[in-house]
């Protein structure tokens, strides 16, 4: 993907300009990395979400079927929709468990969010004032399939992302940012949420599906209706902000081994089926 390549190259270029080590990127959210599990645990991150926005989810013990269906069965760590499956009833859940491919990675079961629309909120903190974001983008994920709960991802051929940031005024964006601040200090993150309307989204009447802390893609730049020049400018604005935040990492901050452990998991993750 061209934009993903541009994100990496421009980030390295901005780090070089600031004379900071780009490999320090993986320390930006290191305080939320679980060194014992070797990944950013969905169950750990779930505890950052205020209870009013949190969905019921738990580690799959392979036995319980007492859930409000549908539910999603997910690897405790995964990317781009790999390995996620939906069970519409107890029989489907049992079948998913029986035919599980990756038995080494723990799985979680998450009940579905009630909202009719899905939004992806991306941000990078400002190095000048961490109470504010340097980059803040909002995209709506759409899928023409008739299913009530499609498993959207950048790899899903029917998923499209529409940048709605410019359609929100400053007061609405600030209200949405204050909601995201409730998740704690996340230097770079993308939160997937569901709400029935944009008004409910702004008012905080939503549920959080997932919070991605490991190289989250700014999905608002994937809007095919946005001119390429504007998308490139947004990519550069994002990586410039990231480089400045990387430079701010204290030299005495303990370095956690994240990249290679996540790289090995990513390779295994890509072998899991991608739900269409």
């Amino acid at each position: 993907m061209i934009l993903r390549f541009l994100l990496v190259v421009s980030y390295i270029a901005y780090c070089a300009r600031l004379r900071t080590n780009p490999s320090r990127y993986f320390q930006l959210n290191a305080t939320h990395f679980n060194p014992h599990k070797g990944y950013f645990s969905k169950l750990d991150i779930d505890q950052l979400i205020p209870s009013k926005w949190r969905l019921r989810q738990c580690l799959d013990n392979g036995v319980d079927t007492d859930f409000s269906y549908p539910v999603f069965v997910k690897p405790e760590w995964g990317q781009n929709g790999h390995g996620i499956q939906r069970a519409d009833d107890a029989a489907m859940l049992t079948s998913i468990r029986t035919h599980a491919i990756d038995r080494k990675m723990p799985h979680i079961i998450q009940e579905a969010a009630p909202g009719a629309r899905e939004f992806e909120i991306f941000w990078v903190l400002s190095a000048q004032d961490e109470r504010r974001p340097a980059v803040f983008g909002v995209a709506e994920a759409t899928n023409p399939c008739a299913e009530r709960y499609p498993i959207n991802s950048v790899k899903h051929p029917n998923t499209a992302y529409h940048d709605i940031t410019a359609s929100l005024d400053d007061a609405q964006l600030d209200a949405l940012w204050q909601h995201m601040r409730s998740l704690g200090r996340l230097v770079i993150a993308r939160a997937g949420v569901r709400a029935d309307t944009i008004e409910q989204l702004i008012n905080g009447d939503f549920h959080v599906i997932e919070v991605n802390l490991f190289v989250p893609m700014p999905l608002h730049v994937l809007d095919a209706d946005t001119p390429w020049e504007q998308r490139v400018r947004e990519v550069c604005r994002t990586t410039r902000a990231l480089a400045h935040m990387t430079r701010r990492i204290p030299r005495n901050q303990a370095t956690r081994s994240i990249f290679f452990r996540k790289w090995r998991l990513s390779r295994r993750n890509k072998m899991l089926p991608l739900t269409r």
Side-chain angles (χ1 to χ4, degrees), residues 17 61 72 81 102 125 142 144 154 159 181-182 245 254:
R17 183 181 298 179
N61 62 12
F72 293 91
D102 187 355
L125 292 183
T142 61
V154 295
T159 300
R181 282 189 69 192
S182 301
M245 287 302 296

Side-chain angles (χ1 to χ4, degrees), residues 126-143:
S126 169
Q128 285 71 44
D129 181 0
E130 290 193 6
R131 295 171 299 178
R132 310 297 308 173
V135 178
F136 193 66
V138 186
E140 180 170 4
T142 61
N143 193 313

Side-chain angles (χ1 to χ4, degrees), residues 196-213:
D196 284 324
T197 65
I198 290 179
E199 289 73 21
Q200 288 186 352
L201 175 70
I202 300 303
N203 291 334
D205 185 10
F206 57 76
H207 286 85
V208 178
I209 305 168
E210 191 167 286
V211 180
N212 190 330
L213 301 184

Side-chain angles (χ1 to χ4, degrees), residues 61-78:
N61 62 12
V63 177
D64 291 345
T65 57
D66 184 19
F67 300 102
S68 295
Y69 292 90
V71 298
F72 293 91
V73 184
K74 306 179 178 183
E76 193 182 354
W77 182 82

